[in-house]
Amino acid sequence: MAMRVRYWDDLETNTVQIEKQFLQQLLIEQGVFQTPTLEDVKYFFFSLPSIIIVKGYALGFTSNDIKAMISQYIQENKSSLMQREALKIQYRM
């Protein structure tokens, strides 16, 4: 969880800001939210499985491999995400 908080609270690194915008756009493209706020993106980010967080942190969330993993996660959990349900974080690596 500390890695998630550290990443999310980083307001100075340009790459992090670009990746947050990327995640916001991905939520629009996947039809989860029409106009996601930063809070919507934060909810989504904190719900991602640990494997995506770790690999995204290492390779960048805009990497094609990470984008594919995120898209798959969205498709598997789309209705829950749309309703902003509390999702159990998957920690299995």
Side-chain angles (χ1 to χ4, degrees):
M1 187 58 79
M3 184 181 261
R4 295 169 197 267
V5 172
R6 182 174 170 209
Y7 179 88
W8 191 261
D9 289 345
D10 183 349
L11 302 175
E12 296 179 18
T13 305
N14 192 40
T15 304
V16 172
Q17 300 312 309
I18 290 169
E19 289 176 341
K20 287 178 185 179
Q21 291 173 351
F22 169 77
L23 292 172
Q24 188 174 30
Q25 185 61 37
L26 195 56
L27 289 171
I28 294 168
E29 290 172 8
Q30 295 284 328
V32 177
F33 301 112
Q34 289 183 358
T35 53
T37 64
L38 201 53
E39 279 302 308
D40 293 329
V41 179
K42 181 179 181 180
Y43 153 76
F44 171 68
F45 179 78
F46 277 80
S47 77
L48 290 171
S50 292
I51 190 70
I52 294 175
I53 296 295
V54 171
K55 287 187 175 190
Y57 203 90
L59 302 174
F61 288 93
T62 58
S63 158
N64 286 334
D65 291 338
I66 305 305
K67 181 179 179 181
M69 292 173 73
I70 294 171
S71 295
Q72 180 181 351
Y73 173 76
I74 290 172
Q75 291 309 308
E76 292 171 356
N77 298 283
K78 189 172 181 175
S79 62
S80 296
L81 291 167
M82 291 174 77
Q83 296 174 22
R84 290 184 57 114
E85 292 178 1
L87 298 171
K88 184 177 179 181
I89 297 173
Q90 300 169 17
Y91 288 101
R92 189 180 70 182
M93 304 285 277

